[in-house]
Amino acid sequence: MFEKILIANRGEIALRIQRACKELGIKTVAVHSTADEDAMHVRLADESVCIGPAPAAQSYLDIPSLVAACEITGAEAVHPGYGFLSENARFADILDEHKVAFIGPTAEHIRLMGDKIAAKETAQRLGIPVVPGSDGAVGSNEEAAEVAEKIGFPLLVKASSGGGGRGMKLAETAEDLPTALSTARSEAKSAFGDDAVYLEKYLKKPRHIEVQVLGDGLGHAVHLGERDCSLQRRHQKVFEEAPSPALNSEERARIGAIVAKAVADLKYRGVGTVEFLYENGEFYFIEMNTRLQVEHPVTEMITGLDLVIEQIRTASGAPLALSQDDIQFSGHAIECRINAENPKTFTPSPGTISYFHTPGGLGVRVDSGVYQGYTIPPYYDSLIGKLIVHGKNRNECLMRLRRALSEFVIDGIETTIPLFSELISEPDIVNGIYDIHWLEKYLKRP
Ligand code: ADP
């Protein structure tokens, strides 16, 4: 087991990882930019190293500074959290060259899943159902038009290197295709330096359902059930729950078994998420994330497992101590992402938190990196915390969530808390009947 871990991240996730390290008796090293000197993840770590100025490109994304911080502090492993360098295969390779462990899968698996076309081909080979579409990248517009006729419209043009919804364009009809292809290509070229695009059937009213997996890299893997992340704004998740209100236990066991077997066959190490769109009883693979997800706590609440501890154990080479039968699902959990944003316009609202009171009580968890008097810097993501609530069943979970939201006080800045207070009284949300377009439509209502 490692004695000292460097956490290459900030905010709530850096604190979340520190908590796991402390429980395992592992020393923690925080890194921070000059804008984060007063951050909680710096204050609570055993050691901290300033790695550069405020812009992430010169600090949290600066690989030489991170490697130097490992050398100075003698950290034996790096946990990348999510975002930043968490899915950067080159970072994993460089750490390996410096004999520092990367808490995550191998660089080879990160690379494989980072390329959406290769990921989709791999998923299909391993028996995972995929969205019908082109076989790999499409070449000329003429070739694309031929393939598109076979798939049928509407369809999506997607960037092979895409992420965060960028490089993705909808073509409703054949007339839209040339424009969709050229805008997706140029967006992908400028964002990812790669203009390879592929075509996919557009699913009209799917839910976003993702399966959490855990493997040891030695050929053993389990699934930890699914999360429903269908409430999205601009392809970004806003609210997540586990289990999905749309699945029955037979469907859950079936897709879970397919995914766990695929991940075991791949000899995948650590935690990972296989994302699907789900429509009319069918699952369609869209991508695999080779890291810890923002929404991992809902899975922790219903399984009682600490996913970060499992990541650290598997990265240290330990075989999986769990079999599928050891995983028991209990109750229901919901997460609300609390962003420092206007709850109607979603414009960021950095500034100083003048008053901060978090909800508590049975089944309530708040993962956050902020405190009263803290000034949110304008340079980073607007997520300032997550409210996660657990109940015996979905109904109890919603009752508890309503209560917890009413207790949460954050003054001095705007947050998305009022949006959640509204949403959980909406009949569709109460009944669990929503697809990936539900929230966008709700936000556009007069
Ligand atoms: P990214 O990596 O850019 O986030 P994903 O492939 O994960 O892209 O897709 C992000 C979101 O876009 C999905 O959660 C879903 O809302 C929508 N989406 C992706 N593929 C399709 C599809 N074939 N049909 C309908 N919606 C899709």
Side-chain angles (χ1 to χ4, degrees), residues 116 131 156 158 162-166 168 198 200-204 206 208 232 235 275 277 286-287 436-437:
K116 292 192 158 197
V131 191
L156 274 181
K158 288 174 111 171
R166 279 181 300 176
M168 194 172 1
Y198 62 105
E200 212 166 76
K201 176 182 153 78
Y202 180 72
L203 300 167
K204 294 199 183 85
H208 175 116
Q232 300 184 352
H235 301 308
E275 298 192 334
L277 294 176
I286 44 172
E287 66 169 344
I436 60 169
H437 306 295

Side-chain angles (χ1 to χ4, degrees), residues 59-85:
S59 50
Y60 297 103
L61 292 169
D62 188 65
I63 296 177
S65 300
L66 288 161
V67 172
C70 289
E71 279 174 357
I72 295 163
T73 57
E76 304 154 85
V78 170
H79 195 307
Y82 53 67
F84 293 135
L85 295 169

Side-chain angles (χ1 to χ4, degrees), residues 336-363:
C336 297
R337 298 192 187 198
I338 314 290
N339 288 347
E341 286 172 357
N342 177 289
K344 291 215 178 331
T345 62
F346 300 96
T347 42
S349 175
T352 300
I353 297 177
S354 56
Y355 189 79
F356 189 67
H357 174 81
T358 55
L362 185 63

Side-chain angles (χ1 to χ4, degrees), residues 274-351:
V274 180
E275 298 192 334
F276 294 95
L277 294 176
Y278 173 84
E279 194 173 72
N280 299 330
E282 300 289 337
F283 287 92
Y284 302 96
F285 171 88
I286 44 172
E287 66 169 344
M288 177 169 184
N289 292 320
T290 53
R291 55 170 165 83
L292 188 69
Q293 308 254 126
V294 175
E295 61 274 22
H296 77 277
V298 292
T299 300
E300 295 185 324
M301 301 302 269
I302 64 159
T303 59
L305 285 172
D306 184 313
L307 294 192
V308 180
I309 288 184
E310 296 302 332
Q311 280 188 298
I312 296 171
R313 281 200 182 124
T314 50
S316 75
L320 213 62
L322 297 159
S323 70
Q324 193 64 51
D325 289 341
D326 295 326
I327 316 283
Q328 299 292 331
F329 301 109
S330 161
H332 198 95
I334 296 181
E335 172 181 280
C336 297
R337 298 192 187 198
I338 314 290
N339 288 347
E341 286 172 357
N342 177 289
K344 291 215 178 331
T345 62
F346 300 96
T347 42
S349 175

